[in-house]
Amino acid sequence: MSSWTLVAQAPSTDVPAVDQLKTALESKSDAVKIETMRLILTLMYNGDPLPGVLMHVIRFVMPSRSKALKKLLYFYWEVCPKHGSDGKLKQEMILVCNAIRNDLQHPNEYIRGYTLRFLTKLKDVELLEPLVPTCRQNLEHRQAYVRKSAVLAVYSIYQQSEHLIPDAPDLINSFLVAETDATCRRNAFVVLTILDHVKAATFLVNNFSSITSMDELMQLSIIDFIRKDVLLNPQNKAQYLKLIFDLLDTPINTVAFEAASALTLISTNPAAVQAAASKIVELIVKEPDNNAKLIMLDRIDELRKTHVGLLEDFVLQCLNVLSSPDLDVRRKALTIALEMISSRTVEEFVNLLKKELTKSMERDYDKTNEYRQLLIGTVHKCAMRFPQVASNVVYLLMDFIAEMNTASAADIINFVKEVVERFPQLRQSIIERLLLTLAETKAGRVYRGALWVIGEYCDTDADVRAAWKQIRASIGEVPIIAAEQRHADQANDAQHESEAHQSVDLITPSSIRTRVLADGTYATESAVGQEDANKKQRGLAPLATNRPPLRSLILDGDFYLATVLSATLTKLVMRYASLTEDGTRVNALRAEAMLIMTSIVRAGQSAFSKQSIDEDSLDRIMSCLKSLADFQTERALADVFLEDTKQAFTDLVGAVERKRTEQDQQARQRDAVQVDDLLSIRQLCQKEQSGVSEVDHDVRQAVGDDSVVLDTASKLSKVRQLTGFSDPIYVEAYVTVNQFDIVLDILMVNQTEETLQNLSLEFATIGNMKIVERPTPVNLSAHAFASTQCVVKVSSTDTGVVFGNAVYDDPKTKDSKIVILSELRINITDYIQPAICTEAAFRSMWTEFEWENKVAVLESAAADGFTGPETSVDSPVRRCLESLMSKTNMACLTPVSGLSGDCAFLSANLYAKSIFGEHALANVSLEQQTDGSVSGHVRVRSKTQGIALSVGELVTKSSR
């Protein structure tokens, strides 16, 4: 039986009359009765009480021996109306009570157990009172299945009314002492901890020596009790610590983890914390479930934050988790280990990462490239935090440039660029190693980064000469067109010579075919002519396998690399001119550089290139040529190439470092507690105040009470009016957005002079939303009001719409009346949050994501940019960007140094992440026109279409 049939009815199903239901219940077939009971339960769960079928259920369903029918019968007893209009218990329930008592004495233990579980849901004291003696007798039943259910039934009855079983604590205590079944003992102990904490503590003390040999469920219950008892009776902490330490050695993983968690709660002693952390790391390595690994890694991270400095020696143990094949587990472990390292353990940490990187090069398994990039990123961060290991790390990574894929090698080049800038003492050796790797580099992206480093940081005469020699060897013979044509001619000559040694008669019977011409006559066709054409075409192609790497990349169409090469050659010539007074040598280098550039331009416009050179690349190369021609007379050109470009990169690195430092300071300030801070008492402090214990925090999260307290204005802004003041029904909703659902607290007011019956609110949704809890129908008297609730589940970050109507019975005609409700639009900003990612990650996602939404932006001068919060930025394009970030709830990844300056143009990257793990990327391009207006466009990319359209809609709204 599908569970949804108990709470939802198909729209096409006709609702039968009560007489039809009664007739179906009178059937002698149990199958008919089962279907009828299902239909009755469906109707009752949807708001129809069906009081007229109660007696028929008692007469024709209750005597049945069908197990399925009896199960449905107890569902019916849970929801059927048990009291009359006067509030007293119906007389028919006496028969029901007698039937329940008979089932409690049934010879079938499963019927007894199910009936006892039903008693835990029964809230009427008048019905429970005659069932108490039978329930107590089931505590002594021979079957453990019955006894464990009887324990819970006794607890439920005691909770409803203590006078029914006043000796329940003593009864459960006696049962616990005498019981031998593990599940029954566990249920009894949990119940005893709630009913009588002192008796539970006494039982624990009396059985202290045998706790380690108990079953898993009992040990978990004892650990949970210890957590609570330590807060009430701190004097018992010493004996509990010994027990918890013993439970750490249990072979059961769940018990060991709970014991480790309890140990950190009971004691803050360094030895206890380290023992708990060591056990959790051991469990992470042993546990096969990746979700469990992530949970335990989160626990290690919490211990690291709570006990600063105590877990420094566990860095290598934490890295044992890298044996897991799951990339998320590895990423989490590396992130935690990176926060735990210190100057004392950084050497061992780096050595272990070296071994992992070497393994990733030797083995090929799932997501090897991603794991390799993760290791490189971790090494990068480690080197930036601890400069003493930078030299050791950068040399290792540079050895792998030629062997890694493009993405990993590009990460290494970016790391090298930052190391060269931040550690001047390493520049000489890094340049030497980088020059050696040029001949083995195959990726254009890696080549561009290497050439940029060479052009910026070759500061000596010897470095410039070595760099020039290596670059010249990577380009090959120039001019390129003449060399390529000569190679093609040599290849054709060699081919003709080889053909001369072959047989003169190339026509064989196998190369002749008979064809039928258009006029019906026959003709023969030879394959010699076609073979000659193919040979000629192959002969014209140069031998690309013999080309130098840099030359091969340029002729393959990578003219962006050609522009970087031209800029590098320009910088090397200008720097060499500043280092030497040998004008002849400088002119020779300048002439050679200009020859290389012109040769690249001509090659890009010839047939030897796979694609023609683009206009931007051509302009860049031509500007380098002009700069080489004029730099000796115009000193400003040399300053731009040699000083300004390096200063721009220095500012970029400094901005990244400042942002990293600010984040660290904010994290320390958030966790810091001053000596004069007030003590927080949970019962007296407000919800937004911190200082509650870990257990209280977990309880608050479990009951959803961890929300931020809002002021009156914020609360009123969440009230949405759904009907007008002149409508018969006034409806308004208070919208609460939680993490994965939306709660509508609805107020309904009857504005008529008559009672409105069967007033119900019917809602539907558009988008990836689903109504999971619908409002129940109510009857409203004149000018009365009622509150109800509707819960909407959200499954993705799309702009959704909730719409519906209010339906009630007309007091005079009894016809249904409908009042249309205003629609509720769910704002996407409630589900996306500003986030930060690296430039490499942004580019990778931008290339990967296929959904793009391009939104035009046009603001007049009168509008003065977007309507948004006031900023201290004077530039109109900057004000537009700030307001756009505020409206879309996205963070700007472009450094402040890249946005500063008095310029009418602006380009920036924005990034946000939804609570569902979805990524939203945006590229903003703005321009200030001569009349003061701002125009441009925003390109939004995401993995799904919904979030791209939703963010684009926010941009459109914010620019109105």
Side-chain angles (χ1 to χ4, degrees), residues 429-729:
S429 57
I430 290 177
I431 292 295
E432 293 176 359
R433 286 186 177 241
L434 199 58
L435 291 174
L436 295 176
T437 61
L438 285 182
E440 302 175 357
T441 304
K442 306 298 182 184
R445 184 178 173 186
V446 180
Y447 236 118
R448 293 197 301 267
L451 288 175
W452 185 89
V453 173
I454 292 171
E456 291 292 345
Y457 296 101
C458 285
D459 296 332
T460 63
D461 189 338
D463 287 344
V464 172
R465 289 175 178 271
W468 195 275
K469 180 180 179 181
Q470 195 65 43
I471 293 174
R472 192 66 181 79
S474 299
I475 297 174
E477 185 180 354
V478 290
I480 296 177
I481 294 180
E484 291 294 317
Q485 186 63 51
R486 185 171 63 255
H487 290 315
D489 294 341
Q490 292 175 357
N492 289 332
D493 294 341
Q495 184 177 1
H496 290 317
E497 292 178 1
S498 64
E499 291 174 357
H501 296 289
Q502 297 178 358
S503 175
V504 176
D505 186 10
L506 297 177
I507 303 178
T508 62
S510 61
S511 62
I512 299 176
R513 292 180 294 179
T514 302
R515 302 292 298 267
V516 180
L517 301 181
D519 58 356
T521 60
Y522 293 90
T524 58
E525 181 185 43
S526 174
V528 174
Q530 184 176 2
E531 291 178 0
D532 289 342
N534 292 337
K535 290 177 181 178
K536 183 178 181 180
Q537 185 176 4
R538 290 194 300 267
L540 291 175
L543 299 177
T545 55
N546 295 328
R547 291 173 179 167
L550 189 55
R551 185 196 202 98
S552 178
L553 290 170
I554 294 175
L555 291 180
D556 286 342
D558 191 355
F559 291 104
Y560 183 27
L561 173 61
T563 62
V564 177
L565 172 63
S566 301
T568 301
L569 294 176
T570 303
K571 293 176 185 178
L572 290 178
V573 172
M574 291 180 178
R575 184 166 286 111
Y576 188 77
S578 65
L579 295 174
T580 182
E581 297 180 356
D582 188 355
T584 304
R585 181 60 182 165
V586 172
N587 289 333
L589 288 180
R590 177 163 54 177
E592 189 172 7
M594 297 175 76
L595 175 63
I596 293 173
M597 296 181 198
T598 54
S599 179
I600 291 174
V601 172
R602 285 180 170 270
Q605 296 171 343
S606 68
F608 291 101
S609 176
K610 290 185 177 181
Q611 62 185 34
S612 299
I613 186 171
D614 58 281
E615 188 175 341
D616 292 338
S617 300
L618 179 60
D619 291 343
R620 177 62 173 162
I621 295 175
M622 296 304 295
S623 66
C624 291
L625 279 169
K626 183 173 177 55
S627 299
L628 278 179
D630 301 338
F631 80 93
Q632 289 183 327
T633 58
E634 298 183 17
R635 184 58 189 171
L637 289 175
D639 293 338
V640 170
F641 277 90
L642 300 182
E643 303 296 336
D644 294 350
T645 55
K646 183 184 292 187
Q647 186 61 41
F649 182 70
T650 302
D651 295 341
L652 178 63
V653 173
V656 173
E657 181 63 23
R658 285 193 300 271
K659 183 181 293 185
R660 185 186 301 128
T661 304
E662 290 175 0
Q663 292 177 351
D664 294 341
Q665 290 178 352
Q666 291 176 359
R668 286 194 296 268
Q669 292 176 359
R670 183 172 59 250
D671 298 334
V673 178
Q674 301 298 327
V675 294
D676 57 346
D677 286 348
L678 297 177
L679 296 176
S680 297
I681 302 174
R682 178 173 58 86
Q683 288 81 359
L684 302 179
C685 67
Q686 297 180 359
K687 292 182 179 179
E688 72 272 15
Q689 292 179 347
S690 58
V692 297
S693 66
E694 181 180 0
V695 175
D696 294 332
H697 178 67
D698 293 341
V699 171
R700 283 190 176 186
Q701 286 187 330
V703 301
D705 192 26
D706 57 342
S707 58
V708 178
V709 175
L710 301 176
D711 55 16
T712 304
S714 300
K715 290 181 178 180
L716 292 177
S717 65
K718 294 180 177 293
V719 177
R720 309 288 182 86
Q721 183 179 342
L722 302 182
T723 62
F725 293 109
S726 60
D727 289 323
I729 297 296

